[in-house]
Amino acid sequence: MPRDLLTVVVAAYNEADSLPLLHPRVAAVLDLLEAQGLEGRILYVDDGSSDGTWSLLQGIAAGDARVGLLRLSRNFGKELALTAGLDRVQEGAALILDADGQDPPELIPDFVRLWRDGFDDVHGTRVVRDGEGWLKRSTAHAFYRLMGRLSRTPIPADTGDFRLLSPRALAALAQLRERHRFMKGLFGWVGFKRTSIGYHREPRVAGSSKFNFWRLWNLALEGITSFSTAPLRLATYLGLVTATVSFLYGAWVITKAMIWSDPVAGWPTMMAVILFLGGIQLIALGLIGEYLGRLYEESKQRPLYLVDVWQPAPGVSSGESRVGGAVHAHRATTAGGEDA
Ligand code: UDP
Ligand code: MG
């Protein structure tokens, strides 16, 4: 029987404080799994960090033959950093873990068990979120509910990126090369056999969250526009309702003028109507613009990310990324994310 292979993919952006705490925990879990006949690897993706993350990672890799390193040419954001990491997992399953210890590595054996039971997508669902304010929790909650209503792609609520993907789920994901990547939605789109594990989301072990409210808001917009065209339909309905009301109002104004011959009057009414209609039109235009802008980004067909350094774990037979295009260790600026 061939040995199972699992690669833990960790995207890290300025995580020099948390990684020294995280790595021993992950390494201990992989040792444990080794005993159960599972070969473990760790792939750290440095998402253009500006602190000591990269040199720290090199130290970790030097001390552990299971560690592979990937450094992007700049900060591309978590979604693309994860994509870059997953693209380089060519064999076996992959498990995505946050660098800050919020997703406890100690749960990995549970994920692996379910994978071995035949599940393709095992995701962690947060039952408790410590260290996050009520505002973040309630907006996150509202967002998942809204997404559930707007999109036909199943996106499980309160599910982050803590998940294990089987080889075929990974291969499927690698075919989705869109530039605007809302990973949670992409995982949902892939489908296959899925299940969730409830877990207690702990506070960060060190450092601070990279996602402020503006970034979360943009992520939410990304999610909605990537997986639903409902807002466009909303513009249609908004227009229909406005047109109907306007027609009735117009009829009333004309009737009034014919019966009581209404001379010049209604300056406030006119201003209100003009401004209201102008506002409605701008909202509809803005909605279209959101989609048009994304279409424009996609049409440029740029690579998703650029790789600065790719240093596979010494034990891995490597070279090719899953999406094609030879990638050599230590070669600077390798284009990643080519279309398959
Ligand atoms: N991250 C990244 N690139 C970024 C921002 C974040 O790779 O531009 C990584 C970060 O290092 C961490 C994970 O994404 O491993 C989650 O980030 P964070 O903990 O800041 O988000 P939160 O848990 O607060 O949602
Ligand atoms: Mg975090």
Side-chain angles (χ1 to χ4, degrees), residues 98 100 102 132 201 204 209:
D98 270 7
D100 57 10
Q102 284 197 282
E132 291 177 340
R201 188 149 164 97
R204 273 183 156 267
S209 173

Side-chain angles (χ1 to χ4, degrees), residues 15 78 98-103 132 136 201-204 208-211:
E15 299 284 5
K78 182 182 180 187
D98 270 7
D100 57 10
Q102 284 197 282
D103 307 327
E132 291 177 340
K136 183 161 182 180
R201 188 149 164 97
E202 287 160 40
R204 273 183 156 267
S208 58
S209 173
K210 311 295 181 293
F211 285 84

Side-chain angles (χ1 to χ4, degrees), residues 5-13 19 22-23 26-27 30 39-47 53-54 57-58 60-61 64-72 80-91 93-99 108 170 305 307 309-314 316 318 320-322 327:
L5 186 73
L6 175 77
T7 307
V8 178
V9 178
V10 182
Y13 176 54
L19 285 171
L22 182 83
H23 182 73
V26 182
L30 292 190
E39 197 176 330
R41 306 249 172 247
I42 313 176
L43 173 55
Y44 288 108
V45 183
D46 177 2
D47 186 15
T53 300
W54 181 245
L57 284 175
Q58 280 178 310
I60 290 178
D64 192 336
R66 297 172 296 192
V67 175
L69 299 181
L70 184 67
R71 182 178 162 84
L72 302 185
L80 289 173
L82 283 180
T83 306
L86 293 176
D87 282 347
R88 275 158 187 77
V89 179
Q90 303 134 49
E91 271 180 86
L95 184 132
I96 302 169
L97 195 69
D98 270 7
I108 295 177
L170 260 182
Y305 52 83
V307 173
V309 182
W310 167 224
Q311 184 183 317
V316 182
S318 78
E320 296 278 304
S321 87
R322 195 184 275 279
V327 181

Side-chain angles (χ1 to χ4, degrees), residues 133-290:
W134 67 270
L135 192 60
K136 183 161 182 180
R137 286 201 308 262
S138 54
T139 45
H141 182 86
F143 170 70
Y144 286 117
R145 297 303 172 284
L146 181 71
M147 274 309 287
R149 289 183 155 256
L150 287 185
S151 167
R152 279 203 276 152
T153 308
I155 299 172
D158 296 323
T159 297
D161 293 323
F162 189 20
R163 78 177 65 214
L164 184 147
L165 294 169
S166 74
R168 67 172 180 167
L170 260 182
L173 189 71
Q175 291 177 43
L176 308 182
R177 305 313 292 172
E178 58 214 77
R179 271 80 197 154
H180 283 272
R181 302 181 77 76
F182 180 65
M183 294 298 271
K184 300 182 217 301
L186 296 181
F187 298 135
W189 190 89
V190 164
F192 293 132
K193 257 187 101 179
R194 340 169 34 158
T195 187
S196 66
I197 292 183
Y199 77 106
H200 184 121
R201 188 149 164 97
E202 287 160 40
R204 273 183 156 267
V205 289
S208 58
S209 173
K210 311 295 181 293
F211 285 84
N212 55 29
F213 259 94
W214 183 241
R215 280 186 86 159
L216 282 175
W217 167 250
N218 282 318
L219 190 67
L221 271 188
E222 203 71 83
I224 291 170
T225 51
S226 301
F227 282 90
S228 167
T229 48
L232 289 177
R233 210 158 313 128
L234 182 79
T236 312
Y237 292 124
L238 203 65
L240 267 177
V241 170
T242 317
T244 313
V245 173
S246 310
F247 178 78
L248 293 177
Y249 183 67
W252 158 245
V253 169
I254 291 171
T255 317
K256 207 170 65 160
M258 290 204 308
I259 298 176
W260 295 290
S261 76
D262 204 359
V264 183
W267 159 252
T269 323
M270 204 152 82
M271 276 315 280
V273 168
I274 290 176
L275 294 179
F276 177 71
L277 288 184
I280 294 275
Q281 282 167 358
L282 286 181
I283 291 174
L285 262 183
L287 282 176
I288 298 172
E290 285 292 328

